[in-house]
PDB file of all heavy atoms in Angstrom:
ATOM      1  N   VAL P 220     -89.390  43.705  49.775  1.00  0.00           N
ATOM      2  CA  VAL P 220     -90.841  43.592  49.663  1.00  0.00           C
ATOM      3  C   VAL P 220     -91.385  44.972  49.455  1.00  0.00           C
ATOM      4  O   VAL P 220     -91.209  45.842  50.308  1.00  0.00           O
ATOM      5  CB  VAL P 220     -91.478  42.986  50.909  1.00  0.00           C
ATOM      6  CG1 VAL P 220     -92.984  42.871  50.744  1.00  0.00           C
ATOM      7  CG2 VAL P 220     -90.885  41.582  51.185  1.00  0.00           C
ATOM      8  N   VAL P 221     -91.990  45.182  48.280  1.00  0.00           N
ATOM      9  CA  VAL P 221     -92.337  46.567  47.872  1.00  0.00           C
ATOM     10  C   VAL P 221     -93.866  46.791  47.986  1.00  0.00           C
ATOM     11  O   VAL P 221     -94.650  45.934  47.518  1.00  0.00           O
ATOM     12  CB  VAL P 221     -91.866  46.841  46.453  1.00  0.00           C
ATOM     13  CG1 VAL P 221     -92.336  48.219  45.954  1.00  0.00           C
ATOM     14  CG2 VAL P 221     -90.371  46.742  46.369  1.00  0.00           C
ATOM     15  N   TYR P 222     -94.243  47.893  48.588  1.00  0.00           N
ATOM     16  CA  TYR P 222     -95.638  48.253  48.721  1.00  0.00           C
ATOM     17  C   TYR P 222     -95.782  49.734  48.390  1.00  0.00           C
ATOM     18  O   TYR P 222     -94.797  50.474  48.258  1.00  0.00           O
ATOM     19  CB  TYR P 222     -96.184  47.886  50.082  1.00  0.00           C
ATOM     20  CG  TYR P 222     -95.497  48.591  51.221  1.00  0.00           C
ATOM     21  CD1 TYR P 222     -96.061  49.711  51.853  1.00  0.00           C
ATOM     22  CD2 TYR P 222     -94.258  48.119  51.714  1.00  0.00           C
ATOM     23  CE1 TYR P 222     -95.400  50.360  52.871  1.00  0.00           C
ATOM     24  CE2 TYR P 222     -93.614  48.729  52.736  1.00  0.00           C
ATOM     25  CZ  TYR P 222     -94.177  49.860  53.351  1.00  0.00           C
ATOM     26  OH  TYR P 222     -93.530  50.480  54.381  1.00  0.00           O
ATOM     27  N   ALA P 223     -97.031  50.223  48.315  1.00  0.00           N
ATOM     28  CA  ALA P 223     -97.280  51.613  47.950  1.00  0.00           C
ATOM     29  C   ALA P 223     -98.302  52.228  48.928  1.00  0.00           C
ATOM     30  O   ALA P 223     -99.496  52.048  48.720  1.00  0.00           O
ATOM     31  CB  ALA P 223     -97.723  51.752  46.519  1.00  0.00           C
ATOM     32  N   SER P 224     -97.797  52.937  49.913  1.00  0.00           N
ATOM     33  CA  SER P 224     -98.597  53.637  50.938  1.00  0.00           C
ATOM     34  C   SER P 224     -98.644  52.805  52.198  1.00  0.00           C
ATOM     35  O   SER P 224     -98.641  51.578  52.149  1.00  0.00           O
ATOM     36  CB  SER P 224    -100.001  54.000  50.481  1.00  0.00           C
ATOM     37  OG  SER P 224    -100.875  52.895  50.624  1.00  0.00           O
ATOM     38  N   VAL P 246     -90.276  48.011  51.741  1.00  0.00           N
ATOM     39  CA  VAL P 246     -89.978  49.294  51.156  1.00  0.00           C
ATOM     40  C   VAL P 246     -91.208  49.933  50.579  1.00  0.00           C
ATOM     41  O   VAL P 246     -91.909  49.385  49.714  1.00  0.00           O
ATOM     42  CB  VAL P 246     -88.867  49.211  50.080  1.00  0.00           C
ATOM     43  CG1 VAL P 246     -88.577  50.612  49.572  1.00  0.00           C
ATOM     44  CG2 VAL P 246     -87.655  48.521  50.598  1.00  0.00           C
ATOM     45  N   ASP P 247     -91.559  51.104  51.046  1.00  0.00           N
ATOM     46  CA  ASP P 247     -92.659  51.936  50.518  1.00  0.00           C
ATOM     47  C   ASP P 247     -92.169  52.756  49.376  1.00  0.00           C
ATOM     48  O   ASP P 247     -91.312  53.653  49.574  1.00  0.00           O
ATOM     49  CB  ASP P 247     -93.258  52.788  51.606  1.00  0.00           C
ATOM     50  CG  ASP P 247     -94.547  53.517  51.137  1.00  0.00           C
ATOM     51  OD1 ASP P 247     -94.863  53.445  49.935  1.00  0.00           O
ATOM     52  OD2 ASP P 247     -95.188  54.156  51.990  1.00  0.00           O
ATOM     53  N   ILE P 248     -92.604  52.495  48.141  1.00  0.00           N
ATOM     54  CA  ILE P 248     -92.109  53.301  46.988  1.00  0.00           C
ATOM     55  C   ILE P 248     -93.146  54.318  46.506  1.00  0.00           C
ATOM     56  O   ILE P 248     -93.065  54.877  45.389  1.00  0.00           O
ATOM     57  CB  ILE P 248     -91.728  52.375  45.818  1.00  0.00           C
ATOM     58  CG1 ILE P 248     -92.929  51.700  45.229  1.00  0.00           C
ATOM     59  CG2 ILE P 248     -90.670  51.403  46.267  1.00  0.00           C
ATOM     60  CD1 ILE P 248     -92.632  51.052  43.845  1.00  0.00           C
ATOM     61  N   LEU P 249     -94.180  54.609  47.360  1.00  0.00           N
ATOM     62  CA  LEU P 249     -95.247  55.488  46.909  1.00  0.00           C
ATOM     63  C   LEU P 249     -94.742  56.819  46.368  1.00  0.00           C
ATOM     64  O   LEU P 249     -95.239  57.318  45.346  1.00  0.00           O
ATOM     65  CB  LEU P 249     -96.247  55.760  48.056  1.00  0.00           C
ATOM     66  CG  LEU P 249     -97.413  56.659  47.716  1.00  0.00           C
ATOM     67  CD1 LEU P 249     -98.273  56.007  46.627  1.00  0.00           C
ATOM     68  CD2 LEU P 249     -98.271  56.930  48.960  1.00  0.00           C
ATOM     69  N   HIS P 250     -93.765  57.391  47.015  1.00  0.00           N
ATOM     70  CA  HIS P 250     -93.299  58.724  46.637  1.00  0.00           C
ATOM     71  C   HIS P 250     -91.921  58.752  46.000  1.00  0.00           C
ATOM     72  O   HIS P 250     -91.274  59.806  45.917  1.00  0.00           O
ATOM     73  CB  HIS P 250     -93.349  59.660  47.804  1.00  0.00           C
ATOM     74  CG  HIS P 250     -94.724  59.902  48.384  1.00  0.00           C
ATOM     75  ND1 HIS P 250     -95.712  60.495  47.652  1.00  0.00           N
ATOM     76  CD2 HIS P 250     -95.270  59.541  49.541  1.00  0.00           C
ATOM     77  CE1 HIS P 250     -96.811  60.535  48.371  1.00  0.00           C
ATOM     78  NE2 HIS P 250     -96.574  59.958  49.518  1.00  0.00           N
ATOM     79  N   PHE P 251     -91.476  57.570  45.511  1.00  0.00           N
ATOM     80  CA  PHE P 251     -90.216  57.527  44.781  1.00  0.00           C
ATOM     81  C   PHE P 251     -90.375  58.246  43.453  1.00  0.00           C
ATOM     82  O   PHE P 251     -89.479  58.950  43.021  1.00  0.00           O
ATOM     83  CB  PHE P 251     -89.744  56.104  44.578  1.00  0.00           C
ATOM     84  CG  PHE P 251     -88.391  55.956  43.985  1.00  0.00           C
ATOM     85  CD1 PHE P 251     -87.263  55.901  44.809  1.00  0.00           C
ATOM     86  CD2 PHE P 251     -88.194  55.958  42.641  1.00  0.00           C
ATOM     87  CE1 PHE P 251     -85.983  55.786  44.318  1.00  0.00           C
ATOM     88  CE2 PHE P 251     -86.922  55.859  42.072  1.00  0.00           C
ATOM     89  CZ  PHE P 251     -85.803  55.768  42.906  1.00  0.00           C
ATOM     90  N   PHE P 252     -91.526  58.006  42.814  1.00  0.00           N
ATOM     91  CA  PHE P 252     -91.836  58.640  41.541  1.00  0.00           C
ATOM     92  C   PHE P 252     -92.917  59.674  41.757  1.00  0.00           C
ATOM     93  O   PHE P 252     -93.528  59.787  42.796  1.00  0.00           O
ATOM     94  CB  PHE P 252     -92.258  57.582  40.502  1.00  0.00           C
ATOM     95  CG  PHE P 252     -91.214  56.567  40.163  1.00  0.00           C
ATOM     96  CD1 PHE P 252     -91.339  55.268  40.640  1.00  0.00           C
ATOM     97  CD2 PHE P 252     -90.112  56.893  39.448  1.00  0.00           C
ATOM     98  CE1 PHE P 252     -90.410  54.295  40.364  1.00  0.00           C
ATOM     99  CE2 PHE P 252     -89.135  55.921  39.156  1.00  0.00           C
ATOM    100  CZ  PHE P 252     -89.289  54.632  39.624  1.00  0.00           C
ATOM    101  N   GLU P 254     -96.226  60.681  41.977  1.00  0.00           N
ATOM    102  CA  GLU P 254     -97.486  59.923  42.159  1.00  0.00           C
ATOM    103  C   GLU P 254     -98.571  60.396  41.249  1.00  0.00           C
ATOM    104  O   GLU P 254     -99.449  59.594  40.796  1.00  0.00           O
ATOM    105  CB  GLU P 254     -97.892  59.983  43.622  1.00  0.00           C
ATOM    106  CG  GLU P 254     -99.219  59.301  43.946  1.00  0.00           C
ATOM    107  CD  GLU P 254     -99.233  57.804  43.646  1.00  0.00           C
ATOM    108  OE1 GLU P 254     -98.161  57.206  43.362  1.00  0.00           O
ATOM    109  OE2 GLU P 254    -100.337  57.250  43.651  1.00  0.00           O
ATOM    110  N   VAL P 257     -97.747  58.325  38.078  1.00  0.00           N
ATOM    111  CA  VAL P 257     -97.716  56.880  38.077  1.00  0.00           C
ATOM    112  C   VAL P 257     -98.956  56.267  38.726  1.00  0.00           C
ATOM    113  O   VAL P 257     -99.382  55.173  38.380  1.00  0.00           O
ATOM    114  CB  VAL P 257     -96.450  56.313  38.782  1.00  0.00           C
ATOM    115  CG1 VAL P 257     -95.202  56.726  37.987  1.00  0.00           C
ATOM    116  CG2 VAL P 257     -96.338  56.836  40.239  1.00  0.00           C
ATOM    117  N   LEU P 259     -99.571  54.922  41.872  1.00  0.00           N
ATOM    118  CA  LEU P 259     -99.268  53.623  42.419  1.00  0.00           C
ATOM    119  C   LEU P 259    -100.216  53.242  43.604  1.00  0.00           C
ATOM    120  O   LEU P 259    -100.411  52.055  43.848  1.00  0.00           O
ATOM    121  CB  LEU P 259     -97.813  53.526  42.898  1.00  0.00           C
ATOM    122  CG  LEU P 259     -96.760  53.584  41.783  1.00  0.00           C
ATOM    123  CD1 LEU P 259     -95.374  53.355  42.374  1.00  0.00           C
ATOM    124  CD2 LEU P 259     -97.041  52.472  40.747  1.00  0.00           C
ATOM    125  N   ALA P 265     -99.689  47.687  38.182  1.00  0.00           N
ATOM    126  CA  ALA P 265     -98.709  48.716  37.692  1.00  0.00           C
ATOM    127  C   ALA P 265     -97.484  48.833  38.558  1.00  0.00           C
ATOM    128  O   ALA P 265     -96.443  49.319  38.068  1.00  0.00           O
ATOM    129  CB  ALA P 265     -99.450  50.082  37.603  1.00  0.00           C
ATOM    130  N   ILE P 266     -97.573  48.478  39.820  1.00  0.00           N
ATOM    131  CA  ILE P 266     -96.444  48.668  40.751  1.00  0.00           C
ATOM    132  C   ILE P 266     -95.187  47.934  40.293  1.00  0.00           C
ATOM    133  O   ILE P 266     -94.072  48.318  40.604  1.00  0.00           O
ATOM    134  CB  ILE P 266     -96.837  48.235  42.174  1.00  0.00           C
ATOM    135  CG1 ILE P 266     -95.766  48.758  43.173  1.00  0.00           C
ATOM    136  CG2 ILE P 266     -96.955  46.708  42.261  1.00  0.00           C
ATOM    137  CD1 ILE P 266     -96.163  48.528  44.607  1.00  0.00           C
ATOM    138  N   LYS P 267     -95.337  46.804  39.512  1.00  0.00           N
ATOM    139  CA  LYS P 267     -94.188  45.924  39.262  1.00  0.00           C
ATOM    140  C   LYS P 267     -93.064  46.607  38.539  1.00  0.00           C
ATOM    141  O   LYS P 267     -91.879  46.505  38.987  1.00  0.00           O
ATOM    142  CB  LYS P 267     -94.687  44.723  38.487  1.00  0.00           C
ATOM    143  CG  LYS P 267     -95.582  43.832  39.343  1.00  0.00           C
ATOM    144  CD  LYS P 267     -96.363  42.799  38.547  1.00  0.00           C
ATOM    145  CE  LYS P 267     -95.431  41.717  38.097  1.00  0.00           C
ATOM    146  NZ  LYS P 267     -96.227  40.595  37.500  1.00  0.00           N
ATOM    147  N   VAL P 268     -93.285  47.277  37.446  1.00  0.00           N
ATOM    148  CA  VAL P 268     -92.211  47.873  36.719  1.00  0.00           C
ATOM    149  C   VAL P 268     -91.561  49.021  37.490  1.00  0.00           C
ATOM    150  O   VAL P 268     -90.345  49.244  37.417  1.00  0.00           O
ATOM    151  CB  VAL P 268     -92.663  48.359  35.320  1.00  0.00           C
ATOM    152  CG1 VAL P 268     -93.660  49.485  35.405  1.00  0.00           C
ATOM    153  CG2 VAL P 268     -91.471  48.761  34.487  1.00  0.00           C
ATOM    154  N   PHE P 269     -92.346  49.728  38.261  1.00  0.00           N
ATOM    155  CA  PHE P 269     -91.786  50.810  39.101  1.00  0.00           C
ATOM    156  C   PHE P 269     -90.964  50.278  40.241  1.00  0.00           C
ATOM    157  O   PHE P 269     -90.012  50.922  40.698  1.00  0.00           O
ATOM    158  CB  PHE P 269     -92.914  51.733  39.563  1.00  0.00           C
ATOM    159  CG  PHE P 269     -93.721  52.321  38.397  1.00  0.00           C
ATOM    160  CD1 PHE P 269     -94.992  51.931  38.155  1.00  0.00           C
ATOM    161  CD2 PHE P 269     -93.104  53.230  37.545  1.00  0.00           C
ATOM    162  CE1 PHE P 269     -95.702  52.466  37.089  1.00  0.00           C
ATOM    163  CE2 PHE P 269     -93.810  53.770  36.465  1.00  0.00           C
ATOM    164  CZ  PHE P 269     -95.121  53.375  36.237  1.00  0.00           C
ATOM    165  N   ALA P 270     -91.363  49.093  40.744  1.00  0.00           N
ATOM    166  CA  ALA P 270     -90.524  48.465  41.755  1.00  0.00           C
ATOM    167  C   ALA P 270     -89.169  48.050  41.192  1.00  0.00           C
ATOM    168  O   ALA P 270     -88.167  48.159  41.893  1.00  0.00           O
ATOM    169  CB  ALA P 270     -91.253  47.206  42.292  1.00  0.00           C
ATOM    170  N   ILE P 271     -89.162  47.611  39.952  1.00  0.00           N
ATOM    171  CA  ILE P 271     -87.890  47.256  39.291  1.00  0.00           C
ATOM    172  C   ILE P 271     -87.022  48.509  39.148  1.00  0.00           C
ATOM    173  O   ILE P 271     -85.809  48.482  39.485  1.00  0.00           O
ATOM    174  CB  ILE P 271     -88.175  46.678  37.876  1.00  0.00           C
ATOM    175  CG1 ILE P 271     -88.879  45.320  37.995  1.00  0.00           C
ATOM    176  CG2 ILE P 271     -86.881  46.530  37.120  1.00  0.00           C
ATOM    177  CD1 ILE P 271     -89.428  44.785  36.686  1.00  0.00           C
ATOM    178  N   SER P 273     -87.054  51.402  40.756  1.00  0.00           N
ATOM    179  CA  SER P 273     -86.688  52.086  42.054  1.00  0.00           C
ATOM    180  C   SER P 273     -85.734  51.215  42.855  1.00  0.00           C
ATOM    181  O   SER P 273     -85.071  51.760  43.774  1.00  0.00           O
ATOM    182  CB  SER P 273     -87.931  52.386  42.888  1.00  0.00           C
ATOM    183  OG  SER P 273     -88.605  51.196  43.249  1.00  0.00           O
ATOM    184  N   ALA P 274     -85.666  49.939  42.569  1.00  0.00           N
ATOM    185  CA  ALA P 274     -84.800  49.053  43.390  1.00  0.00           C
ATOM    186  C   ALA P 274     -83.327  49.430  43.248  1.00  0.00           C
ATOM    187  O   ALA P 274     -82.904  49.825  42.181  1.00  0.00           O
ATOM    188  CB  ALA P 274     -85.027  47.576  42.947  1.00  0.00           C
TER     189      ALA P 274
END
Side-chain angles (χ1 to χ4, degrees):
V220 179
V221 175
Y222 60 99
S224 82
V246 182
D247 185 353
I248 67 166
L249 180 63
H250 297 295
F251 187 91
F252 299 107
E254 176 61 12
V257 296
L259 291 185
I266 193 174
K267 292 166 73 170
V268 66
F269 301 110
I271 293 168
S273 63

